[in-house]
Amino acid sequence: MGSGNWIVDNLNSALETWNGKLDEIWTLISTSPEEFKGGGIWNVIVSINGALQAIGYALLVLFFVMGVVKTCGSFTEMKRPEVVFKTFIRFVLAQAAVSHGMELMTALFSVAQGMVTTIMGASGLTAMSATALPDEMVSVIEGVGLLESIPLWAVTLLGSLFIWVLSLVMILTVYSRFFKLYMATAIAPIPLSSFAGQPSSSIGIAFLKSYAAICLEGCVIVLSCVIFSQFASAPPAIGDSTVAAATIVWNYVGELIFNMLVLVGSIKMSDRIIRELLGLG
């Protein structure tokens, strides 16, 4: 229900949008790819993964032959039992990775999701703390006259636009994580087939590292939300009440947007942060 003051209602509307996106992120980050959007997307990804397994098997043989040619100086070395056994084991493991790649990807995500759930439980938060306009700020805004409210309109419009854009960027980043998970899972048989040859195995290793980084992005995102929740529990100070109302509102909105920028920046750079922390490059 509106307060009857356009400036207050506009700021409250922007904060409601922000709080709504935070609640959506809190829900999404604890959702598995199988449950996302009812599981329809996951079923399509599973079908694509199964279809690409045939190509993966073909590449498996190709990488295997290339590996044998590059690692063995001559076919005489293939007569040595230890070399034959090592090559055979590598081929079998690579074939298992292609055949059971879906289970491998799901297991990696489950480990990361368990970490996310643990962080949520340890934080003691069941939902994100809502950011609300303080009563003191409402009183300052409602106490200005018509002419004095004109600068407040400009400040409110600019601040609301920033908050709306930050909300959009934040939620798009979280959604893009699901897209990266789906894409990596769909094409998994292709890079996993590279394990058949020792020279090409670096492709598969890099793929698994990248997938692990995507999964662990959820930990950085939820940690960012938990930290911001503490910021939200202590809203920006109103400041000196003797200065102009426009200055008070501008200082408040500026500090609020700064706190939001910290959160959005952490979420936006979650992939880079996790790669740097784990040394994934």
Side-chain angles (χ1 to χ4, degrees):
M1 184 175 180
S3 65
N5 186 288
W6 182 87
I7 298 174
V8 174
D9 291 341
N10 195 30
L11 283 175
N12 282 331
S13 177
L15 291 178
E16 285 177 5
T17 301
W18 172 264
N19 292 329
K21 298 305 180 185
L22 279 181
D23 290 338
E24 188 175 356
I25 288 176
W26 194 257
T27 302
L28 285 175
I29 207 66
S30 58
T31 302
S32 66
E34 297 94 328
E35 300 170 346
F36 182 67
K37 296 298 181 181
I41 304 176
W42 179 254
N43 294 333
V44 175
I45 296 302
V46 171
S47 300
I48 295 174
N49 181 279
L52 289 179
Q53 280 187 2
I55 300 176
Y57 289 134
L59 291 174
L60 189 74
V61 177
L62 177 61
F63 285 128
F64 175 74
V65 174
M66 290 174 57
V68 171
V69 172
K70 288 186 176 182
T71 55
C72 297
S74 64
F75 285 101
T76 305
E77 296 184 21
M78 291 300 297
K79 296 180 180 180
R80 298 166 55 187
E82 63 273 15
V83 175
V84 175
F85 180 75
K86 181 180 179 180
T87 304
F88 174 75
I89 292 298
R90 175 179 290 276
F91 182 82
V92 171
L93 292 177
Q95 184 181 19
V98 174
S99 302
H100 303 284
M102 182 64 68
E103 290 83 353
L104 175 62
M105 310 296 278
T106 304
L108 287 175
F109 182 83
S110 298
V111 172
Q113 197 68 11
M115 296 172 63
V116 170
T117 303
T118 301
I119 293 173
M120 286 182 170
S123 67
L125 296 177
T126 56
M128 288 299 300
S129 300
T131 304
L133 197 63
D135 294 335
E136 296 87 347
M137 182 62 64
V138 174
S139 300
V140 170
I141 296 174
E142 291 180 344
V144 300
L146 178 61
L147 292 178
E148 295 176 345
S149 65
I150 294 177
L152 292 182
W153 294 347
V155 172
T156 301
L157 284 173
L158 187 60
S160 299
L161 178 62
F162 268 108
I163 294 173
W164 185 85
V165 171
L166 290 176
S167 302
L168 185 62
V169 172
M170 181 174 58
I171 195 67
L172 284 177
T173 303
V174 178
Y175 271 100
S176 67
R177 174 175 175 263
F178 277 99
F179 276 80
K180 289 187 288 186
L181 284 171
Y182 287 136
M183 292 176 186
T185 304
I187 66 171
I190 306 301
L192 290 178
S193 64
S194 64
F195 282 114
Q198 183 176 354
S200 60
S201 61
S202 58
I203 300 175
I205 294 173
F207 172 76
L208 290 179
K209 286 183 177 180
S210 297
Y211 185 81
I214 296 172
C215 294
L216 291 175
E217 282 180 28
C219 296
V220 177
I221 293 173
V222 73
L223 280 172
S224 300
C225 291
V226 169
I227 294 172
F228 178 80
S229 180
Q230 301 306 311
F231 277 98
S233 63
I238 301 301
D240 188 1
S241 59
T242 60
V243 300
T247 304
I248 294 176
V249 175
W250 177 255
N251 291 337
Y252 174 83
V253 172
E255 188 175 350
L256 182 64
I257 290 177
F258 175 79
N259 292 339
M260 292 178 174
L261 275 172
V262 174
L263 173 61
V264 175
S266 299
I267 293 178
K268 185 68 177 175
M269 297 189 299
S270 58
D271 56 339
R272 183 181 302 177
I273 292 173
I274 200 66
R275 287 176 182 275
E276 290 179 354
L277 290 176
L278 300 181
L280 298 179

